[in-house]
Each structure stands twice: as C-alpha cells, then as structure tokens.
Amino acid sequence: MSSSGSTKAIIAALAANGGIAVAKFTGYLITGSSAMLAEAVHSVADTSNQALLLLGQRVAARAPDVLHPFGHGRSRYFWSFVVALVLFTLGSMFALYEGYEKLRHPVELTSPLVAIAILVVAIALETYSFRTAITESRPLKGKCSWWRFLRTSRNPELPVVLLEDTAALIGLVLALAGVGLVLVTGNPVWDSVSTLGIGVLLGVVAVFLMVEMHSLLIGEGATAAEDRAIRTALESTENVTRLIHIRTQYLGPDEMLVGAKIAVTPRLDLAGVAATIDAAEANIRAAVPAALIIYLEPDLDRTPVPDSVDQKG
C-alpha cells in the first residue's frame, strides 16, 4: 500500500480547504452568520489537519535508528490521532459554543445572499476534494463496503480525509439550510440551530476518528483476509507440517511484522530448515506484500497422538 494516493488526497483537501476558509471568513465578515463562522473555523481546522497529515508522512519516512529499530511508521497514526483531537477541540467545541451563544443572543444577518453564494462555491470546491479522496481510496477499499473500509483500513490518512470531507459537505448543507431558513422566515435562530448541528456533526466524526486512530496507534494485526493468506502461505510451504502459532502487527500503514512458530519435517538437516524458512518467507511476501519483517521459529510437531481405541469382539 503506497502512500502516494494518500498524499494526493491530502494535497487536494489542503488546497480546497485553504480557499474555502478564506471565502467563509469573508462571508462571515459581510453577513455576521454564526453558521458561516463555524464553517470557517471548521475549514481552518481541516487545513491545519492536512498539514499535520503531511508532517506525519514526512516523519514516518525517516530511516530506522537505534532508538526506533522498526522505523517511524506509526508517526502517521500519531498525527492522524492529533488531527482527530484538533477537529474535536477547534471544530466541534467552537461550533457548539458559537451556536449556543447566538441562540441566547440572536444576531440579524446582513446580505444573506452573499453567504449563500459563498456556501455554494464552497460545496463545489469541497466536492472536488471529496471525489479525489474517493478515487484514491478505491484501490485500497476493494470490494468491501465504505463502512468496513473506514473500520479496517490500516492507512490512516485516507479515512481521515474521507470523513473530514464528508463532514464538511454535510456541514455546508446545514449552514446553507440555516441561512436559507433565515432568509425565508426572517428568524435568525435558524442560523444558530444550524451552527449547533455542525458542532454535533464534527464531534461525532472526531470521536469516531479518535477511537480508530487509537486502535491503530497501539498496534493492530493483519486483517482477517491477510491472516488467512499468511496462514495458507505458511502451511503450503514444503517441509512445513503445521503452523503452531502466529502473531502479526502493523508497524505502519505499509509495513507489517509477522512472527510465527512452524513445525518442520522431522530429521530435516540445518540446510533444509534454512531453505524451508526462506521459502516460507517468500510465500508470505508474495501473498501479503505488506509483510516486510518476518521472524519464523522452526520447531518439531509435538501434537499428541490420540490413543488407539481397543476393539473388543
């Protein structure tokens, strides 16, 4: 799994959100809409988040050192977790606070048509970013559902960008609905209600991302399909009589650690054991390319032989 697709999606989101943030702040200054302000802060949070994701990729590319012999791959998980925290604190909390304050003290909007025009343009730009993320995610998603992809992907950036863009599009629709209702009814409370909705939406997305990134950060193993492929690769290797046990863990989105104990054919000489291990490693890497670090321990098959059942006439 290459990070090039992730980088392309991140850069597209960074460019879109940077332009959107400027437009939304301009719209807020003209209209005074709290929903527009919440969306502007949301776009600033998203722009900062994309910068953090790029930083995570850069740190993860560092070579292994004495302190980090398995490399820095998990930096991508760490910075993705920070992104979720930023989305929650800067995006969700601010929107909830702003919505609550404007609900207590409603403010009349000026030039709501300007806000609507800016929101429509923002939706178009955000749709571009969203489509890029979808396109780059499809090769990793395969045949599984989008929900399963979000839950099982070991690539942190694409799910983050996908969920951020989804939340951004829904948030823009909420802001557009709020401003539109203010324009139709003349009641500024609708602007505050849409702001509160944006805050709740961002909070839900942020909490989901924090849970998923926390799981990746502490270490997730191979997916069910990858685990089956690795087991099949080992058990189909010549002179491997049985897989005794196996442990896997992702050290980063593109690098998996595999440790296993395998039973080999009895009375196999040292050269034969070494050749069997080499063949098993090659089979694993062919089945699961992400399995870059493999440790195999050969052993004898000590499975108890069941006692024969006495036959009495």
Side-chain angles (χ1 to χ4, degrees):
M1 287 183 285
S2 172
S3 63
S4 59
S6 302
T7 304
K8 184 176 180 180
I10 295 169
I11 292 174
L14 179 65
N17 284 310
I20 291 170
V22 173
K24 287 176 181 176
F25 272 117
T26 303
Y28 163 70
L29 293 174
I30 295 173
T31 65
S33 167
S34 63
M36 185 69 77
L37 178 59
E39 274 298 300
V41 174
H42 176 196
S43 293
V44 170
D46 282 352
T47 304
S48 303
N49 288 342
Q50 270 87 62
L52 291 175
L53 292 177
L54 291 173
L55 174 62
Q57 287 190 340
R58 182 174 180 178
V59 174
R62 292 176 181 172
D65 52 41
V66 175
L67 191 59
H68 307 94
F70 288 109
H72 300 78
R74 284 189 182 168
S75 293
R76 289 168 68 179
Y77 298 147
F78 170 76
W79 288 108
S80 295
F81 183 80
V82 173
V83 162
L85 289 176
V86 171
L87 190 64
F88 183 79
T89 55
L90 188 58
S92 177
M93 291 295 99
F94 178 83
L96 290 173
Y97 170 78
E98 183 68 15
Y100 174 72
E101 284 297 311
K102 291 297 175 65
L103 195 62
R104 291 178 58 200
H105 309 289
V107 177
E108 295 291 334
L109 300 187
T110 58
S111 305
L113 291 177
V114 174
I116 291 175
I118 290 174
L119 289 171
V120 169
V121 172
I123 288 174
L125 292 173
E126 200 66 61
T127 300
Y128 160 74
S129 174
F130 181 69
R131 287 184 60 184
T132 302
I134 289 287
T135 300
E136 298 301 325
S137 299
R138 286 191 188 280
L140 293 180
K141 184 182 82 72
K143 295 181 180 179
C144 69
S145 65
W146 284 107
W147 174 251
R148 185 169 180 80
F149 170 70
L150 293 174
R151 293 298 311 276
T152 62
S153 175
R154 302 304 189 259
N155 181 304
E157 295 93 359
L158 287 174
V160 168
V161 174
L162 275 171
L163 284 176
E164 277 189 349
D165 287 349
T166 301
L169 283 170
I170 297 174
L172 286 167
V173 171
L174 289 175
L176 188 61
V179 175
L181 286 171
V182 172
L183 185 62
V184 172
T185 65
N187 188 347
V189 169
W190 289 111
D191 186 50
S192 304
V193 171
S194 65
T195 305
L196 290 171
I198 292 168
V200 172
L201 170 68
L202 296 181
V204 171
V205 171
V207 170
F208 176 84
L209 285 175
M210 280 190 279
V211 171
E212 291 301 314
M213 293 308 124
H214 171 262
S215 180
L216 289 170
L217 190 57
I218 63 176
E220 289 189 2
T223 64
E226 289 170 336
D227 182 77
R228 288 192 297 269
I230 293 171
R231 290 175 182 271
T232 300
L234 284 170
E235 292 168 348
S236 63
T237 302
E238 186 179 2
N239 291 322
V240 174
T241 60
R242 187 168 70 90
L243 172 60
I244 299 173
H245 67 72
I246 183 173
R247 297 289 185 273
T248 61
Q249 188 171 93
Y250 267 92
L251 303 174
D254 308 317
E255 187 173 35
M256 185 197 302
L257 169 67
V258 178
K261 178 179 282 191
I262 54 175
V264 298
T265 303
R267 292 181 295 278
L268 194 64
D269 60 21
L270 183 59
V273 172
T276 299
I277 291 176
D278 290 342
E281 289 181 353
N283 288 343
I284 291 173
R285 292 192 175 99
V288 182
L292 298 180
I293 301 177
I294 303 172
Y295 295 106
L296 299 179
E297 179 183 353
D299 203 346
L300 296 177
D301 192 344
R302 295 184 175 86
T303 305
V305 179
D307 296 332
S308 58
V309 180
D310 292 336
Q311 300 286 334
K312 293 187 178 180

